[in-house]
Amino acid sequence: MASGYLNRKETEVKVAIARRVKNKTPAPIQITAEQILREARERQEAEIRPPNQKITDQTEVADYRLRKRKEFESLISRVGWNKSVWVKYAEWEESQNDLKRARSIWERALVIDALNRDHTIWLKYVHMEMKNKFVNHARNLWDRAVIRLPRVDQLWYKYIHMEEMLGNVAGARGIFERWMGWMPDQQGWLSYIKFELRYNETERAREIFQRFVQCHPKVSAWIRFAKFEMKNGEIGRARNCYERAVDKLADDDEEAEQLFVAFAEFEEKCRETDRARFIYKFALDHIPKGRAEDLYSKFVAFEKRYGDREGIEDAIVGKSRFQYEDQVKKNPRNYDTWFDYIRLEESIGNKERIREVYERAIANVPPAEEKRYWQRYIYLWINYALYEELDAQDMERTRHVYRECLKLIPHHKFSFANIWLLAAQFEIRQLRLKEARLLLGEAIGRAPKDKIFKKYIEIELHFGNIDRCRKLYEKYLEWSPENCYAWSKFAELERSLYETERARAVFELAIDQPALDIPELLWKAYIDFEISEGEFERTRALYERLLNRTKHLKVWISYAKFEASAMGGSDIKQKKKCLQHARDVFERAVSYLINSAPELKEERVILLEEWIYMENNFGELGDANLVRAKLPKKLKKRRQIETEDGPAAYEEYIDYLFPEQTTNMKLLDSAYKWKKQRVASKD
């Protein structure tokens, strides 16, 4: 039995497992969600509604009313906070012409604090009284409503509208006065003004406007007041409104732009173009530039209508000026903006404005004594000085600008050679050579720079003051003894004066310096000098001294080329001698590379190629085959690239196999074979 039971269970489990697999192919008939909803709606039974009841006598009416009141009272006891229940209850009692009960329900609703603060309840209550022509009841309710909710404008509007419809103008005015005591928004005041104007009470309206602008001191309020006066033909009063508004609001109000535009348009309508132009310019000077877009466009249009050519151009340029003013106000140390601003003013040509902008720009000194902060700033001074000299042609101002700039720069930390040189060149143009020398001497004393030394020497050389040039070179080299350029130029000066011994002495002093910035430049200049003087022995000695210091490949090649061309000419003997000297240099170079620097294989190949080139240039006297025997074989090899994680890949490179290396390899091969034969014979 137990085994049969177990077998049956196992069969059921297997069947259940087999049934988990479903046929996932799409059904032949597809059913959408919309179709299901539509069918459900179609099969839904119709709503069962109670039949309409016909009332035939007073008893049935009383029963109906009793039943409805019980329903409403039950609802109120459960959801008394729900406004719609009270409204429906009161409106039902009203429909039954039982106004006392309706009032009682409204009053009960108003006892609830949440409903008492809901103005719609008050409106519906008053609407019932007004509909049934209970005016005094309605007034009483309006009074209670505006006392309870004085900030709800709709209650005031409805109350006033009722009194006005009843012809009670004095009562409506009194309600407006009560409302104005609560200082409502602008629309409330404007409604009061329109009310008075409907009854032609202009003076009353003006008085209300006076109170209105005191309560709401806004640009829009003052503009409305001025337009009111203008409409009534009171031009003087309208102008007075605008002037009072400008006095109170021009500096602080964000809508000041609208005020000035309205004021200028008012003056334009009155044909006071000069007044309008003055207002526009005053506004553009006082309103922040970011908020003056509309004002500027209005001003341009005004100038196009009434202005001359100069005024139109000034108005058009004004926009860019206002933008620049706004930018420099936000970031006064943005010197690029100052440059653009100055360029704009220079295009107009007003000297006073240009100088004013320059002065304002240079007043923004960089915050720290670091050169990187001063590099753009210093060009403001340079442009200022150039403007005064070239455009304004005021030489005293130019001199003053240069002096003030030089006083401002912290020369103990950094300096600018351009300023010193421009100031000195300005004095030279004014034929004040003594002042220029004093400036350059001060520059050398306070902030010596290569550029200042070079320009000073160039100026003195131009005037032919050789002694001053020598002194300047001495000062230059005393300040910077490692400067090979200065040593070379000093020797070049002496050579140009045919002072050969002086030039040689300068070169000797130079190469004896313990440190030089570009020694190869100096040695080349010295060697070229001796070659130009025809001192071949001295040149050869110089090369030997240079080789004692460095055995660079370029030195060997230069030495060999010198020997090849040192005593060249048509004489065969001389040519052979030159060739032999050059070969000796190449041999020494090759020997040095083989013995002392065997790793410099590429340099050795370059040297041999230069040697072959020289041999070919000697024509029949040369023998390139002597050198070709020393040329290596090019071999392509592979090597492993080492990385942080270990060997990663291989790269190809060119290696050279020289003849002496080949001979050594042959000897090694022979020794290996001999040893192998010895081992074989013993076996």
Side-chain angles (χ1 to χ4, degrees), residues 487-488 490-508 521-536 538-540 542-543 562:
W487 286 107
S488 301
F490 192 7
E492 186 180 331
L493 171 67
E494 296 294 352
R495 184 189 170 195
S496 66
L497 299 170
Y498 301 101
E499 294 285 353
T500 307
E501 291 303 322
R502 277 180 173 272
R504 187 173 287 119
V506 170
F507 275 123
E508 287 295 333
L521 174 68
L522 184 64
W523 281 94
K524 186 179 184 304
Y526 193 4
I527 289 167
D528 290 343
F529 164 73
E530 294 293 0
I531 292 173
S532 65
E533 294 294 326
E535 297 287 346
F536 298 113
R538 286 180 179 274
T539 307
R540 192 172 288 113
L542 274 176
Y543 270 117
F562 160 71

Side-chain angles (χ1 to χ4, degrees), residues 589-605 632 655-658 660-661 664:
V590 171
S591 176
Y592 166 75
L593 290 173
I594 292 172
N595 298 322
S596 301
E599 71 280 359
L600 302 178
K601 294 182 180 182
E602 290 186 3
E603 285 79 356
R604 187 173 165 188
V605 172
D655 197 7
Y656 298 97
L657 185 64
F658 288 93
E660 68 272 10
Q661 293 175 324
N664 293 337

